[in-house]
């Protein structure tokens, strides 16, 4: 299997597919799968743009909407994770992953999915200490800080990934695992990005939970983006395993944004399918998922070994068997909002969507797993609703006033 790996996408799908097709012609290869490591910008229309954390002057629609509307078909199966520039409303309705457009699959806020017999895990967003333990409380219209914090990685999503026992071929994180720079040519990195030196030397560059996951899961490959620079490293684990790390740039002319990787022992046959072990993990952990500000009350203070997923593995096996082999097919793509129409849609500044849309794919997955729809649970401060969030719900704060894009310089995120 040949995989094209892309750093940040930043809405440039046309250019990325064109680059791959050019490369296929010149090199005489066929790429089976495109993987994008975040800042994908699955922006369907101008209202979605209002749910994306980007300074107003950089707000651009990009080309994704054409793939969403069906005007253009993605020529290569495409898999992506979220970064810190995304249509937060759209990715939230597909929290567990799914098709954002025909042939374009979102891993989820965290998840494991198969493409042929290639097993890929991923963690969306970027790490920020102050939001790590919180629940997923951000909702459209993402007023104030919520437009930024919606992309901050949550402990709950990492907790689930730590329960993965079966081998992963590839893992994706938008920001780099902390400490990874020490396993490659640092001097070369500092020549290209001088400002990273201090953070690397104080070991504050990158994501601590991603570092934990790298050491625990030991995937064959780990791909990242976010810092807009190419960087390769190899981490040797005990017992002769190693992880090849590669970070890539964003899609711009003359930049290292794309690399084709050959994984000869893997076949693309069968396309995207759901992963049995991950389904068991989703089922086993659903009750701990806080969708309010309240931290997720994880068992044993977040020690992932406290969750025994074995009974859930059996439940999943029986469930999938009873439905048949098609039960591993992800639910089909279906549009939940109108796609942008350049002739009729004009920008409604500050008019972000104000509710979570129920995505039929998420509904179908919850029905498969016999779980309730936490993603669209009402969020109006009614104490009765808190009961629906399980034992950890609490009375909710009133919805914030609809001010938009109060961007705060609270974190040194790399902007566009
Ligand atoms: Zn980024
Ligand atoms: Zn980026």
């Amino acid at each position: 299997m040949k995989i094209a790996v892309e750093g940040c996408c930043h809405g440039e799908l046309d250019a990325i597919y064109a680059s791959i097709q050019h490369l296929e012609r010149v090199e005489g290869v066929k790429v089976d799968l495109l993987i994008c490591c975040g800042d994908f910008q699955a922006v369907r229309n101008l209202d979605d743009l209002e749910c994306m954390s980007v300074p107003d002057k950089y707000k651009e629609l990009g080309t994704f909407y054409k793939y969403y509307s069906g005007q253009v078909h993605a020529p290569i199966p495409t898999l992506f994770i979220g970064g810190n520039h995304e249509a937060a409303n759209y990715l939230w309705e597909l929290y567990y992953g799914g098709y954002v457009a025909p042939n374009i699959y979102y891993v989820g806020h965290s998840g494991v999915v198969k493409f042929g017999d290639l097993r890929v895990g991923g963690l969306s967003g970027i790490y920020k200490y102050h939001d790590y333990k919180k629940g997923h409380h951000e909702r459209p219209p993402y007023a104030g800080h919520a437009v930024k914090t919606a992309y901050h990685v949550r402990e709950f999503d990492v907790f689930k990934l730590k329960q993965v026992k079966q081998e992963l071929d590839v893992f994706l994180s938008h920001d780099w695992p902390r400490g990874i720079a020490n396993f490659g040519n640092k001097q070369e990195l500092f020549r290209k990005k001088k400002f990273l030196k201090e953070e690397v030397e104080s070991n504050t560059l990158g994501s601590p939970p991603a570092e934990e996951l790298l050491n625990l899961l030991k995937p064959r490959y780990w791909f990242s983006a976010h810092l807009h620079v190419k960087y390769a490293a190899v981490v040797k684990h005990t017992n002769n395993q190693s992880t090849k790390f590669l970070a890539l740039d964003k899609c711009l002319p003359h930049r290292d944004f794309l690399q084709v990787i050959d994984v000869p022992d893997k076949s693309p046959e069968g396309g995207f399918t759901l992963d049995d072990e991950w389904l068991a993990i989703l089922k086993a952990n659903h009750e701990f998922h806080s969708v309010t500000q309240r931290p997720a009350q994880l068992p044993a203070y977040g020690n992932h070994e406290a969750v025994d997923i074995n009974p859930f593995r059996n439940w999943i096996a029986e469930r999938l068997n009873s439905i048949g082999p098609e039960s591993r097919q992800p639910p089909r793509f279906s549009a939940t909002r109108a796609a942008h129409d350049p002739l009729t849609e004009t920008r409604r500044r500050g008019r972000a969507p104000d509710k979570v849309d129920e995505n039929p794919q998420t509904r179908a997955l919850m029905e498969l797993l016999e779980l309730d729809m936490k993603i669209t649970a009402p969020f109006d401060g009614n104490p009765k609703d808190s009961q629906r969030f399980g034992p950890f719900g609490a009375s909710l704060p009133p919805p914030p006033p609809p001010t938009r894009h109060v961007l705060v310089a609270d974190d040194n995120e790399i902007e566009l």
Side-chain angles (χ1 to χ4, degrees), residues 396-411:
L396 304 168
T403 49
R404 300 276 308 131
H405 302 125
V406 188
L407 293 180
V408 283
D410 66 335
D411 42 23

Side-chain angles (χ1 to χ4, degrees), residues 28-53:
V29 294
K30 190 191 160 299
V31 169
D32 300 296
L33 174 69
L34 166 65
I35 289 180
C36 297
C37 302
D39 289 347
F40 188 78
Q41 300 184 195
V43 177
R44 300 165 294 178
N45 52 41
L46 296 174
D47 285 356
D48 278 1
L49 256 192
E50 304 299 315
C51 295
M52 187 165 89
S53 169

Side-chain angles (χ1 to χ4, degrees), residues 9 15 62 86 89 99 106 209-210 253 269-270 279 293 308 362 370:
C9 178
E86 304 294 350
N89 56 327
Y99 287 105
Y106 172 49
E269 196 74 33
L279 293 178
Q293 281 258 5
D308 177 12
T362 303
E370 295 186 346

